[in-house]
Amino acid sequence: LHQRKCEQTKILKKYMLQKMFPQNGEKVPEIRFSGFTDDWEQRKLNEIADKVSEKNKNNGFSEPFTNSAEQGIISQKDYFDREIVNDENLNGYYIVRNDDFIYNPRISVTAPVGPINRNRLGRTGVMSPLYTVFRTHDIDNLYLEFYFKTTSWHHFMKLNGDSGARFDRFTISSIQFMKMPIPYPTIEEQRKIGKYFDELDHLITLHQRKCDELQKIKKFMLQNMFV
């Protein structure tokens, strides 16, 4: 039951990501919360965010992060089970603070132009200069985070970048990247959308956790209820 509920909620989330953001040049999304009727505006990314160019000096920050398409922003040692970067070569890495967004140009099946995720770790770390780091203002972070879970922004990337130079990496200049158009409803509508998707994620996590717990109990009982 928990596994089924988890899968159903994932399907609902995927469906709503397609319906709650405008598609194909539309001014409004197909589904929206009641009470909101205004056309959505559009902002360029550089109007609601600043590119982070602050570099690590004297190993002021010593924890390297990575940006995984599946897991989001995580500590590199959690991702690789060991730190693949030595302390002495973290100088020159970008400083990533809590709530900063990171674009990873590495492409995969689940992220055909590379993933964009937000640092939710609650702490500051560093990331390789291969990544693009940006810090937002005048926009709800949850809303923007879930916008980047849609495929709506992929069209802009494909028009302005190139995946041919290296088969595993997408190439786009940071100046061009920061010109990406972002759909921009009122802050109130942004907050409602962000909160809605955050609650869906919370439900998915709860059902998955419960399912994992029950599977462990079942495994334990299978070992201990037979002679």
Side-chain angles (χ1 to χ4, degrees), residues 5 12 35 45 48 52 65 73-74 80 83-85 93 109 145 153 184 196 199-200 227:
K5 198 74 184 165
L12 173 65
L45 186 57
I48 51 100
V52 171
F65 292 159
I73 308 302
I74 52 172
F80 295 106
E83 291 200 44
I84 60 164
V85 184
Y93 272 45
V109 175
E145 183 176 1
W153 57 283
Y184 194 87
Y196 171 74
E199 285 168 356
L200 279 186
V227 180

Side-chain angles (χ1 to χ4, degrees), residues 113-128:
V113 295
I116 299 175
N117 286 302
R118 176 164 67 105
N119 176 16
R120 283 179 169 227
L121 295 174
R123 60 186 188 270
T124 301
V126 295
M127 291 192 93
S128 158

Side-chain angles (χ1 to χ4, degrees), residues 48-63:
I48 51 100
D50 299 309
K51 185 178 181 297
V52 171
S53 52
E54 187 184 11
K55 298 276 184 76
N56 198 28
K57 291 177 187 167
N58 305 319
N59 287 319
F61 296 99
S62 58
E63 184 183 17

